Amino acid sequence: MVGIKERFHKWTRIGTPDSLYNDEPPQKHYVRLRRNLMIIILSMAITPMILMAIINYHQYRNAIREETIKPIQSQLTNLKHVLDIFLAERKSSLNLIANSYDFKEINDQTKLSKIFMVLREEFKEFVDIGVIDSSGLQKTYVGPYNLGGKDYKDQGWFKEVMVRNEYISDVFMGYRRFPHFVIAVKRDLHNGEFWVIRATIDTAKFNRIITSMELEPGSDLFLINQDGILQTPSRYYGNVLDRYPLSMPILTQISSAVVQERYVSKEYRTLIGYVRLDIKPFILIFIKKPGEIMKTWFALKSELFWVLFFSCILIIGASYGIVKTLVRHIQESDERRGTALREAQYANKLASVGRLAAGVSHEINNPLAIINEKAGLMKDIIERNENFPESEKFLGLISSIHRSVDRSRVITHRLLSFAKRMDVNLEDVDLADLLKEVIGFLEREAFHRNIDLRLDFDPKLPRIISDKGQLQQVFLNIITNAFEAVENDGIVYIITSIKDANNVQIVVKDNGQGIPEEYLPHIFEPFFTTKKKYGTGLGLSITYGIVQKLGGNLTVQSKEEEGTTFTVIIPIKSNPYFEEGNHV
């Protein structure tokens, strides 16, 4: 358990990567952080929504399924009652006739005709009627056919009515050549004999009852017998007396209306309802074809899917934006902390170098002062003694000692500049010579990297009054940046010109990678750097400050993938100022 918690904490940890302070790129840390946060947020936001959608899916599906099935069950039950009543009424009518008349009366042609006429007035679907004696011979017949004297003793229906006292046949074509069925009722006599009254009924009324149900398109309703033979026509499964093509329902399961979903093929599913009639074991079947089943559910399911889909898209988009912004802020904060730490290290190093330089300068300046003083004393002695041998030679050597002392003082003065702010030292400066000296420091790098250094110095450029040392620092920094910006075989231009009567202009242009537009407003700010790992952000800031202090101006234009141009404007006669605002 502890191991799982530690692994989860390590997997989800948010903090400053150790690599931020060394040379290893920390980008992998933020990629992993962004990925982990996305997974956590999406898991917490989308998982409950998907679970809720699944629960709603099943609840809605069951509810709509019940709403679809119940009307079908009700329709089947009602129609079953109507058909049972239809058969019961016809059978009861024949029972009434059989019980109202004796064999002698009913066997009278005229009497039977009157009875049939009355029966037809009530039930138009009666086709004919006949009286059969116990030998199976039709004694009397009323109807459109010549069936008088027909012998039924060997037919199945006659044998069944002898046993069951009544009989309702399946639909058949028979002698009459149209779909009909027969109802027969037996009446026993006192002498052990019996007679049967038999009537033929047209099934057209049957069909009208079923078609009056106003079925929806794609639905079907029909009757079959126990052998699976259609007793009424079907919309989609055949005509009367065709075989029902689907599997037969189990009769014990359909005493009441049953509705089932059943696959009629691998791809298609249909809704089938069954109910069995009570009077005659006909099976009433209702079928709803694929596409019609649960149409409402399909529409709702589609809406549910799209709502879930767009909700997930919105959550993913919002989560991505939030995580991206959060990780970017964390990354920027980490970089600022790393930069501050490097600056502190850099400042400590400078302070150490400054203290060392101050000590070295102090230790060197003292001997230099003594050497300078003794050299001056030697010069005075030689000049006062007119007979001093080879005085000219010694005076030249003493002058050489003074120049070396002055040069050493300049060196120690620059060493002291590491320890304290260096004052402006105005002198006559030839800009072309100054630039060539600076370029001399970078010639080896240009040679090894095959950088094409193109110089275009204006020969009419006047000499200027400025601080040579600080100008060297300015141009060394700008040209070094140009070298870093270009690839090997790159080009760096250095162009000098007269800006106006009071100023000269120096342009340093490269064809390097350029500076992003959003960085340009901050390029001269202290500690702003695009060199994520090594830059201190002080170089251009110090350069800009020196140019401003010398009374000039420094501007930059850049475009990504095209290069950068630094323009330095220096007054021909500098009028520098100190930070306190006191001009020299």
Side-chain angles (χ1 to χ4, degrees), residues 485-487 490-491 509-520 557-565:
V486 299
E487 303 288 342
I491 303 175
K509 178 180 178 183
D510 65 70
N511 66 341
Q513 59 190 4
I515 302 170
E517 185 177 357
E518 64 269 22
Y519 291 165
L520 288 177
Q557 295 84 37
S558 184
K559 194 168 185 180
E560 287 188 271
E561 307 301 332
E562 292 186 7
T564 304
T565 301

Side-chain angles (χ1 to χ4, degrees), residues 438 442 471-484 531 538-544 546 566:
V438 172
L442 302 171
L471 282 180
Q472 285 177 332
Q473 185 175 350
V474 167
F475 293 114
L476 182 62
N477 193 12
I478 293 175
I479 297 172
T480 300
N481 280 344
F483 274 38
E484 291 176 351
K531 304 169 187 175
L538 290 174
L540 284 177
S541 174
I542 293 174
T543 300
Y544 185 80
I546 292 173
F566 282 93

Side-chain angles (χ1 to χ4, degrees), residues 521-539:
H522 311 286
I523 200 71
F524 297 125
E525 292 178 1
F527 305 119
F528 179 84
T529 178
T530 58
K531 304 169 187 175
K532 301 293 183 182
K533 292 186 297 181
Y534 306 107
T536 64
L538 290 174

